[in-house]
Amino acid sequence: MTRRLYSCSVTAYDEVPYACRPIPCTAPEQLAMASLLHGGPCPAFEGARFLEIGCGDGANLLPLAFFRPDCEFVGVDASAVQIADARRSVERLTLHNITLHADDICELGPTLGRFDYIVAHGVISWVSDIVRDGILDFCREHLADDGLLYLSYNTHPGWLIRGVVRSSMVGPRGSGESLRQMADEARRRAAALRKEVENVPHPYAQLLSRELAYAEAAEESSVVHDYLADHNRAYWFRELASLATGFGFRYLTEAPFTQPDYRVPPALREAARTLTSDPIMMEELIDVLWYRQHRSSLFCRHTAPSASASGDLPFDRISVAAAVRPRSEAVQLTPGVDETFDGLLEPDVAIALGDPLGKATLATLAAIWPRGLGWRQLVAQSIERVRASGLDVPDDAVADLQAQLLSLNAMGQVNLRLRDLPLSQASSERPAVAALTRWEAERRSLMTTPTHQRVSLASIDRLIVEHLTGAHTPAEIVAAVVAKLQPPESSRESEVLRAVAELPESTTPEQWVASRLAYDLGFLGSWGLLR
């Protein structure tokens, strides 16, 4: 979770740069879709202007720019070290649609123009109230009339216990003590406290033990910036909503509302609705009942026109994808006969459907995941599948299918996309991945897809990706990777050591690397990452 601190006098992010990650829900088309589904505006996502306040080393901004050459991206961060890193990456990737500034956002205002999307992930909880208000004032002046504003922040009451842990970890900075030394000491303190409470059966002790374990295991940059920062403030939701209203914004939804950590169980939402009719108080009550610690909220201007939630969704512009697999080898479309589809991205997710068109639709999408189909093409193929089984399609079946897909989208099992993946590339004689994918493989285990989803690669796969440059045949790639797994290199490189540890006992290195290469080419191709 990227967190920035906006004060030019602060150098913590230069001393210990934050470990940045891509933020899936911040792609322009995903923000637009979330807004559409909750009655908000739909700013242009093709040819859009996009600003990230607190962009760090560009881990989120660069993939957005790489896969959206028609859009203009601007990143601002107070850390000169991280902006310098981001600029090196921009040069390596030869991106021409991105501008980076190492500066205070409030000082840049007059020069930047207006934006369709403004993202401030992990900023407003980590700055003073004066700086926070300056950022919100900037957003008021520079957000387009139908633009969208994304703010993430710590939330009460769930963050209260994490605040207690933070207070227990923070001590005075010793003379000459570095932030890294402070982080080590803070983790030791968390470990010592956890040992005192981990076996105490009281519910509070168990909650505290869990949070102390989380802090103990946190990486260095997270400890420095999440626990040791001078500013680390949480908000009651009504407080934050009132603050946004004062700057002319209205709340729409949580941008990642379909993701597991943000997906409110329908029964819980209904319980909150029975206790209050005020939508702001209902959101805060959900935070109380659900122990929510963090929000990633989407706002628009108060003057932006409202639409009925989901009612005006332009299905003709949408591509539909579903990460599911049918349990049956041959899906039976007979009415009333339930077929179960298992979710691929989350454990223990099962979708049971009985209506023919719904079953045909999920079966069609399951066969092409992670790609999607345009709405008209999907409906045509699904109807044809039903009729080929000798069944009729009622007149109201398509409207029912729309409602069904909206429900599955809210459950996180169906993607509704305003941009789909590029066509899958067949593996060539000399396979190559996107330059961005090789850049990411060198830095982390997460790869970013054209739809801004994160996919993980094991250590051996990352070693293979390094050789997917278009200059080598598969046989040459296998030989080069196998050579890397041999001493003395395997004794020096941690990534190689991890790859060696993954080697199955029942196969040779050559067989294993060849099988992983074949898998990687299929996997990367399906996500549109081969070139």
Side-chain angles (χ1 to χ4, degrees):
M1 199 169 291
T2 314
R3 295 185 168 97
R4 303 271 66 81
L5 192 57
Y6 270 84
S7 171
C8 290
S9 62
V10 173
T11 59
Y13 289 94
D14 292 331
E15 186 177 344
V16 182
Y18 197 86
C20 304
R21 299 285 187 272
I23 310 159
C25 63
T26 59
E29 64 275 9
Q30 293 188 40
L31 294 174
M33 177 59 75
S35 176
L36 278 173
L37 288 167
H38 294 86
C42 180
F45 54 88
E46 295 173 331
R49 296 197 78 231
F50 182 105
L51 169 67
E52 184 173 2
I53 301 172
C55 66
D57 64 7
N60 184 58
L61 199 61
L62 269 65
L64 290 172
F66 184 90
F67 290 117
R68 294 159 187 80
D70 57 309
C71 298
E72 180 185 353
F73 294 88
V74 177
V76 181
D77 200 285
S79 169
V81 169
Q82 293 205 291
I83 288 293
D85 187 6
R87 285 174 175 158
R88 288 190 292 270
S89 298
V90 167
E91 183 176 357
R92 171 176 165 175
L93 297 172
T94 61
L95 296 175
H96 303 291
N97 60 335
I98 184 170
T99 306
L100 299 165
H101 301 273
D103 210 336
D104 185 326
I105 187 66
C106 300
E107 299 296 325
L108 292 172
T111 67
L112 294 183
R114 304 187 88 194
F115 295 91
D116 302 292
Y117 301 87
I118 298 179
V119 166
H121 185 82
V123 174
I124 61 172
S125 278
W126 288 265
V127 295
S128 68
D129 290 357
I130 293 175
V131 175
R132 176 206 64 197
D133 290 352
I135 290 171
L136 291 174
D137 189 53
F138 171 92
C139 294
R140 174 171 56 189
E141 295 298 319
H142 294 272
L143 188 68
D145 290 344
D146 64 344
L148 295 174
L149 170 63
Y150 167 106
L151 301 172
S152 73
Y153 49 94
N154 291 331
T155 309
H156 285 320
W159 198 86
L160 286 170
I161 188 64
R162 191 157 290 175
V164 169
V165 169
R166 176 178 183 266
S167 297
S168 71
M169 293 171 65
V170 175
R173 187 170 186 174
S175 176
E177 186 179 24
S178 70
L179 286 175
R180 288 186 166 87
Q181 289 170 326
M182 290 183 66
D184 288 342
E185 176 57 31
R187 279 188 293 228
R188 283 193 292 271
R189 188 176 301 186
L193 292 172
R194 179 185 56 79
K195 289 178 181 179
E196 296 300 322
V197 298
E198 63 181 344
N199 294 320
V200 177
H202 192 280
Y204 174 75
Q206 292 302 299
L207 180 60
L208 184 60
S209 175
R210 188 180 75 175
E211 289 295 337
L212 286 165
Y214 179 86
E216 181 186 355
E219 58 188 36
E220 180 181 74
S221 69
S222 178
V223 174
V224 168
H225 301 297
D226 293 351
Y227 291 97
L228 304 183
D230 292 337
H231 297 285
N232 198 323
R233 174 178 175 178
Y235 293 86
W236 289 98
F237 180 69
R238 67 178 180 274
E239 177 188 10
L240 194 286
S242 176
L243 180 67
T245 298
F247 284 90
F249 301 112
R250 80 168 187 267
Y251 174 73
L252 290 169
T253 185
E254 295 306 294
F257 73 98
T258 64
Q259 296 177 13
D261 290 347
Y262 289 83
R263 193 184 309 143
V264 179
L268 190 150
R269 185 172 291 280
E270 186 58 34
R273 188 178 286 115
T274 63
L275 296 173
T276 178
S277 59
D278 183 310
I280 298 299
M281 292 304 297
M282 185 177 74
E283 288 291 330
E284 185 167 292
L285 187 55
I286 289 170
D287 290 347
V288 172
L289 296 173
W290 205 24
Y291 188 63
R292 181 143 57 184
Q293 296 177 310
H294 188 266
R295 277 183 174 264
S296 297
S297 300
L298 190 60
F299 299 86
C300 66
R301 288 191 179 276
H302 195 270
T303 53
S306 298
S308 58
S310 305
D312 299 320
L313 196 62
F315 270 89
D316 285 352
R317 297 169 54 192
I318 288 173
S319 173
V320 185
V324 296
R325 179 185 292 118
R327 287 185 185 174
S328 303
E329 290 188 11
V331 173
Q332 299 297 315
L333 302 185
T334 306
V337 175
D338 279 359
E339 288 283 356
T340 299
F341 296 81
D342 293 313
L344 299 178
L345 304 181
E346 300 174 39
D348 304 322
V349 170
I351 303 164
L353 296 179
D355 69 287
L357 189 59
K359 291 185 286 188
T361 298
L362 281 197
T364 299
L365 294 174
I368 61 170
W369 171 261
R371 288 202 51 74
L373 274 179
W375 172 248
R376 291 185 181 181
Q377 186 180 6
L378 175 62
V379 170
Q381 289 190 18
S382 300
I383 288 176
E384 181 181 356
R385 194 167 187 159
V386 172
R387 288 175 175 165
S389 297
L391 301 171
D392 293 328
V393 178
D395 293 339
D396 58 354
V398 173
D400 290 343
L401 177 63
Q402 288 184 350
Q404 193 173 66
L405 292 176
L406 287 170
S407 176
L408 290 172
N409 173 253
M411 293 167 56
Q413 305 311 308
V414 162
N415 292 162
L416 301 179
R417 300 171 177 168
L418 291 168
R419 282 187 192 241
D420 202 359
L421 289 162
L423 291 175
S424 179
Q425 298 292 314
S427 175
S428 68
E429 292 182 0
R430 297 179 182 272
V433 292
L436 174 80
T437 305
R438 289 198 304 277
W439 173 82
E440 289 184 314
E442 293 174 8
R443 301 168 73 96
R444 60 181 68 91
S445 62
L446 295 173
M447 312 294 109
T448 312
T449 73
T451 55
H452 213 54
Q453 290 173 273
R454 298 189 304 208
V455 295
S456 297
L457 292 181
S459 295
I460 184 61
D461 303 314
R462 294 174 65 189
L463 293 177
I464 289 171
V465 165
E466 291 178 16
H467 293 82
L468 299 181
T469 63
H472 309 290
T473 66
E476 291 169 342
I477 293 169
V478 170
V481 174
V482 168
K484 261 204 156 182
L485 299 179
Q486 309 303 317
E489 285 196 78
S490 62
S491 64
R492 296 199 308 265
E493 300 180 31
S494 59
E495 193 65 39
V496 173
L497 283 173
R498 285 192 289 269
V500 170
E502 296 166 359
L503 175 63
E505 294 182 1
S506 60
T507 186
T508 67
E510 289 79 8
Q511 292 171 329
W512 181 50
V513 174
S515 68
R516 293 308 303 177
L517 174 60
Y519 168 82
D520 289 338
L521 293 178
F523 178 80
L524 296 167
S526 70
W527 279 109
L529 293 172
L530 289 182
R531 291 293 181 264

